[in-house]
Amino acid sequence: MLDLTGKNALVTGIANNRSIAWGIAQQLHAAGANIGVTYLPDDKGRFEKKVAELVEPLQPTLFLPCNVQDEPQVEATFKTVQEKWGKLDILIHCLAFATKESLSGDFSSVSLQDFAQAIEISAYSLISLSRAAKPLMTEAGSIVTLTYVGGARVIPNYNTMGIAKAALEMNVRYLAAELGAQNVRVNAISAGPIRTLASSAIGGILDAIHHVEKVAPLKRTVTQIEVGNAAAFLCSDLSSGITGQILYVDAGYEIMGM
Ligand code: NAD
Ligand code: 0WE
């Protein structure tokens, strides 16, 4: 059965109650995992307070600031994991960023700065977090990241994020090949479009949702909890033979050609 008791799980990417990472954290907790949470710190600390209140019911035993653009902060995060937990079993990478300008309009209009930032935060960060997690995953491990079909096929307006997701998906394969020797598995969940708080600011997300509701075999989108259940599977011993894969949790949308 799906059982994560005795496993230490570090979850990145919780911003609010709509975050996919929040759905994942809830389902890992429900399966018995010990939860640690990292959040993106802001100057005023408002974000920290909101996330802390949200995750309180999961009784996280770690709650740490971690901006992936700040390498010392990444190292400090895993140093604390080492000191407080001793070992790490599960790492959830659930973060991405591209500027609004690079998520609409002509694909070719993106600046090098915006392109590089999207790759750094959305793709390179899986490498830096995995590197820091590697020495702590002493009793096997599971790393799960979140991707989108826009990294494999053209989705209008996803633009720069599509290239970042293509890089992320290839990172999954190279990391799986490297970390397999120490029984650490690396997989991605390709989630269908989900309405999150930021989606109101990005017009393309709503179009993608309406399209999936029409076309996907299940005639609906997926929920954060459904993604969380798939993540719990990929973090459990039930998936012990699976690594380097992209698992579509998208109401079947990916199979459709029209
Ligand atoms: P979200 O806004 O709730 O999550 C994005 C997270 O990234 C936030 O918690 C934010 O704080 C974090 N973040 C941004 N920059 C960071 C930085 N420099 N350092 C650390 N954290 C940083 O939105 P979401 O939709 O839950 O996105 C989570 C993941 O799921 C992303 O990888 C996204 O690409 C992926 N995804 C989303 C959808 C969707 O439709 N919402 C579909 C498929 C995949
Ligand atoms: O990966 C994503 C979006 C991640 C994301 C969200 C934001 C909003 C706020 C990255 N960067 C930012 N930057 C911000 O300023 N998704 C899979 C959701 C998404 O985004 C789209 C989509 C879908 C689906 C953008 C255009 C078209 C479809």
Side-chain angles (χ1 to χ4, degrees), residues 148-149 153 155 191-194 204-223 249-254 256 258:
Y148 177 59
V149 67
R153 304 210 298 260
I155 301 290
I194 293 177
I205 302 185
L206 282 181
D207 296 335
I209 289 171
H210 293 139
H211 182 69
V212 164
E213 285 170 348
K214 269 189 282 192
V215 170
L218 298 182
K219 304 295 174 217
R220 61 176 179 85
T221 57
V222 295
T223 66
V249 179
D250 67 344
Y253 174 76
E254 189 265 344
M256 302 304 291
M258 214 186 137

Side-chain angles (χ1 to χ4, degrees), residues 12-16 18-21 39-41 47 66-69 93-97 121-122 145-149 158 161 165 168 189-199 205 209 224:
T12 68
I14 302 177
N16 51 63
R18 295 277 190 93
S19 293
I20 294 176
Y39 60 91
L40 176 62
F47 204 65
C66 186
N67 181 339
V68 296
Q69 288 190 285
H93 176 277
C94 195
L95 50 92
F97 183 83
I121 298 177
S122 314
T145 186
L146 268 292
T147 186
Y148 177 59
V149 67
Y158 199 58
M161 269 308 301
K165 290 304 190 189
L168 179 74
I189 292 171
S190 186
I194 293 177
R195 203 179 303 241
T196 54
L197 271 191
S199 61
I205 302 185
I209 289 171
Q224 290 87 336

Side-chain angles (χ1 to χ4, degrees), residues 7-236:
K7 292 193 197 279
N8 296 326
L10 191 67
V11 180
T12 68
I14 302 177
N16 51 63
N17 66 346
R18 295 277 190 93
S19 293
I20 294 176
W22 172 232
I24 294 173
Q26 288 174 89
Q27 298 316 90
L28 297 183
H29 175 261
N34 176 37
I35 304 292
V37 168
T38 73
Y39 60 91
L40 176 62
D42 64 341
D43 323 324
K44 296 194 178 119
R46 272 179 305 185
F47 204 65
E48 171 180 356
K49 193 161 172 283
K50 281 182 83 177
V51 177
E53 282 171 13
L54 176 68
V55 302
E56 211 266 329
L58 307 188
Q59 296 171 286
T61 55
L62 283 179
F63 185 71
L64 303 167
C66 186
N67 181 339
V68 296
Q69 288 190 285
D70 185 354
E71 186 65 23
Q73 222 171 86
V74 172
E75 283 165 19
T77 296
F78 287 86
K79 187 166 180 282
T80 307
V81 170
Q82 162 84 294
E83 287 164 2
K84 296 276 165 68
W85 284 356
K87 58 137 190 174
L88 181 66
D89 304 283
I90 294 166
L91 172 65
I92 304 295
H93 176 277
C94 195
L95 50 92
F97 183 83
T99 60
K100 260 177 226 165
E101 301 77 66
S102 60
L103 286 173
S104 68
D106 284 344
F107 169 68
S108 67
S109 68
V110 68
S111 67
L112 172 59
Q113 195 192 331
D114 285 8
F115 184 86
Q117 183 186 29
I119 297 282
E120 179 187 354
I121 298 177
S122 314
Y124 178 76
S125 63
L126 181 67
I127 303 177
S128 53
L129 292 178
S130 298
R131 177 171 56 235
K134 183 177 173 176
L136 304 184
M137 291 188 151
T138 46
E139 298 174 9
S142 176
I143 299 174
V144 173
T145 186
L146 268 292
T147 186
Y148 177 59
V149 67
R153 304 210 298 260
V154 173
I155 301 290
N157 297 312
Y158 199 58
N159 294 9
T160 301
M161 269 308 301
I163 283 68
K165 290 304 190 189
L168 179 74
E169 292 183 12
M170 215 56 222
N171 281 344
V172 166
R173 300 185 182 101
Y174 275 93
L175 287 167
E178 174 183 335
L179 299 177
Q182 66 175 73
N183 205 18
V184 172
R185 299 182 293 107
V186 187
N187 294 287
I189 292 171
S190 186
I194 293 177
R195 203 179 303 241
T196 54
L197 271 191
S199 61
S200 44
I202 309 287
I205 302 185
L206 282 181
D207 296 335
I209 289 171
H210 293 139
H211 182 69
V212 164
E213 285 170 348
K214 269 189 282 192
V215 170
L218 298 182
K219 304 295 174 217
R220 61 176 179 85
T221 57
V222 295
T223 66
Q224 290 87 336
I225 295 296
E226 288 179 306
V227 174
N229 286 334
F233 164 70
L234 287 175
C235 293
S236 79

